[in-house]
């Protein structure tokens, strides 16, 4: 871009002084779910951004950005668009785009892009790679072994206590983890993954079962530098009281009562920072978001999984708390420059996902959603589209209603009350989001 960067610290509040950094930046956000809606929403508050595009976006994003019909893994199509429109910064949401190498391709073409290289994305896309890094650098996680051979895997599982955790080594759309209660269940899952190659030929990581509350700790990361975000907790099961199948996440909140400041400091130093440094030492530095899926076990905080991107639905409750200008941090990380630590509000947020009946199994689409304009809190669209001038359901997770305030009870009551204004015959939601905090 060739412009002089001015730290926001030099910007007198309320004054439009520009020492050279242009305010005419065009940003392209890649993806089309609730996470990308929250990213677009944060960027739309930036004083440095004049135009936001989103590919492919959705019906809600369309109110804040110009949606362009390019798929999030059409790297060449996205690059051609970025070049044609002179996009100043591209921000990548989904892991699928990162793992096909969108960042490597954009950087090779000289474009500024926020997200990890393909090599760094292995921290999410390969369970075995992530486990090897954690073992080598002493980052706390469950003990594990990895296998390609069914008989070897079976013998190892049979020699360990149950339940056993079996993870397919690769992106399996959240369906690659099986918690087997006994040998018969483990055999069935191993057969599926190693003999029948349900997700393609690959490896299985077998790890010890850990217990305790799970939480998500995300940070912006650029090589050795990390910029931690507020903690959030997701609700992975489909139904109340944590029953039913695993989903992508049915709701989330911030302000976790069970994590002490010491826990957070430990996780920041010995998990996030250590992982960032480890990836530099391995020659594949991170540059984007590192998401620690962590568990507070009786033996301390341990890593359950890493993701190489913003969590969904965590982003929808975390990014609204960002008080600094979002463009500053995204651009600095994308350009490999040091940024100021972003500032975050002390408010708490909570959000409830409205999903299509049948999700995470099969579901129908195309149901009209009414009443969205009546809702006070923020509504992030996860899976919607416009059809004949109406907003209709277009995915498993459809909407997320997010409230904020000082006190979680009040925020929760407000969100559930306001959700009553949304009508759609094919949506369901959990009624106990944030129950850990209440
Ligand atoms: P993952 O895709 O690795 O996040 O795993 C999905 C879910 O399986 C996690 O959110 C946990 O609830 C559960 N899980 C994964 N690994 C373990 C483990 N070692 N012990 C207990 N539960 C686990
Ligand atoms: N909420 C879990 C994830 O984004 O993977």
């Amino acid at each position: 871009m060739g412009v002089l960067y001015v730290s926001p610290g030099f910007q007198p509040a309320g004054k439009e002084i520009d020492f050279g950094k242009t305010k005419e930046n065009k940003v392209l956000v890649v993806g089309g779910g609730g996470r990308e809606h929250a990213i677009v929403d944060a960027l739309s508050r930036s004083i440095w951004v004049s135009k936001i595009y989103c590919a492919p976006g959705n019906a809600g994003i369309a109110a804040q950005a110009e949606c362009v019909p390019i798929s999030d893994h059409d790297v060449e199509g996205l690059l051609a668009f970025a070049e044609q429109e002179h996009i100043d910064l591209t921000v990548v949401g989904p892991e699928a785009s990162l793992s096909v190498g969108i960042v490597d391709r954009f950087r090779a073409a000289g474009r500024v892009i926020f997200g990890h290289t393909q090599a760094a994305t292995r921290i999410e896309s390969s369970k075995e790679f992530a486990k090897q890094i954690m073992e080598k650098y002493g980052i706390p996680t469950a003990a594990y072994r990895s296998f390609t051979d069914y008989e070897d895997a079976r013998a190892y599982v049979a020699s360990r206590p149950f339940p056993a955790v079996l993870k397919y080594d690769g992106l399996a759309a959240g369906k690659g983890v099986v918690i087997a209660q006994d040998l018969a269940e483990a055999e069935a899952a191993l057969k599926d993954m190693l003999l029948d190659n349900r997700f393609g030929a690959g490896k299985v990581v077998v790890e010890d079962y850990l217990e305790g509350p799970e939480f998500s700790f995300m940070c912006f990361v650029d090589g050795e530098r990390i910029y931690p975000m507020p903690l959030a907790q997701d609700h992975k099961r489909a139904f109340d009281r944590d029953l039913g199948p695993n989903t992508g996440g049915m709701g989330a909140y911030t302000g976790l009562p069970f994590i002490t400041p010491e826990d957070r400091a430990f996780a920041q130093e010995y998990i996030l920072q250590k992982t960032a440094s480890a990836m530099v030492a391995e020659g594949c530095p991170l540059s984007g978001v590192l998401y620690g899926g962590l568990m507070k076990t009786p033996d301390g905080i341990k890593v359950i999984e890493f993701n190489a991107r913003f969590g969904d639905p965590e982003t929808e409750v975390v990014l609204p708390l960002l008080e600094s200008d979002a463009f500053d941090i995204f651009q600095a990380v994308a350009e490999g420059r040091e940024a100021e630590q972003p500032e975050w509000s002390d408010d708490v947020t909570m959000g409830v996902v409205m999903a299509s009946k049948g999700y995470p199994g099969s579901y129908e689409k195309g149901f009209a959603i009414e009443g969205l304009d009546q809702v006070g809190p923020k509504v992030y669209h996860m899976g919607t589209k416009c059809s004949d001038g109406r907003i209709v359901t277009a995915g498993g997770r459809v909407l997320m209603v997010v409230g904020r305030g000082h006190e979680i009870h009040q925020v929760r009551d407000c969100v559930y009350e306001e959700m009553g204004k949304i009508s759609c015959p094919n949506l369901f939601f959990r009624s106990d989001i944030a129950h850990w905090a209440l």
Side-chain angles (χ1 to χ4, degrees), residues 127 142 165 167 177 179 207-210 214 236 295 304-305:
K127 301 268 186 204
V165 182
K167 299 186 175 183
V177 177
I179 307 218
E207 65 178 45
D208 288 353
Y209 180 78
L210 302 176
E214 287 179 62
K236 293 204 173 161
M295 186 184 272
I304 293 291
E305 65 164 344

Side-chain angles (χ1 to χ4, degrees), residues 362-377:
S362 60
Y363 54 83
E364 290 176 56
K365 300 178 189 176
F367 294 87
I369 309 168
E370 312 285 350
L372 287 170
D373 49 352
Q374 311 293 312
V375 181

Side-chain angles (χ1 to χ4, degrees), residues 234 236 248 291 305 307 309 311-314:
D234 187 6
K236 293 204 173 161
Y291 166 123
E305 65 164 344
N307 291 326
R309 44 149 181 105
D312 194 353
E314 289 91 336

Side-chain angles (χ1 to χ4, degrees), residues 234-236 245-251 311-314 359-360 382 397:
D234 187 6
H235 297 60
K236 293 204 173 161
N246 257 319
T247 70
M250 295 298 293
D312 194 353
E314 289 91 336
Y359 173 80
M382 305 181 90
R397 293 187 294 174

Side-chain angles (χ1 to χ4, degrees), residues 59 366-370 385-392:
F367 294 87
I369 309 168
E370 312 285 350
K385 67 173 192 179
C386 231
S387 172
D388 296 331
R390 293 191 310 177
I391 292 180
V392 301

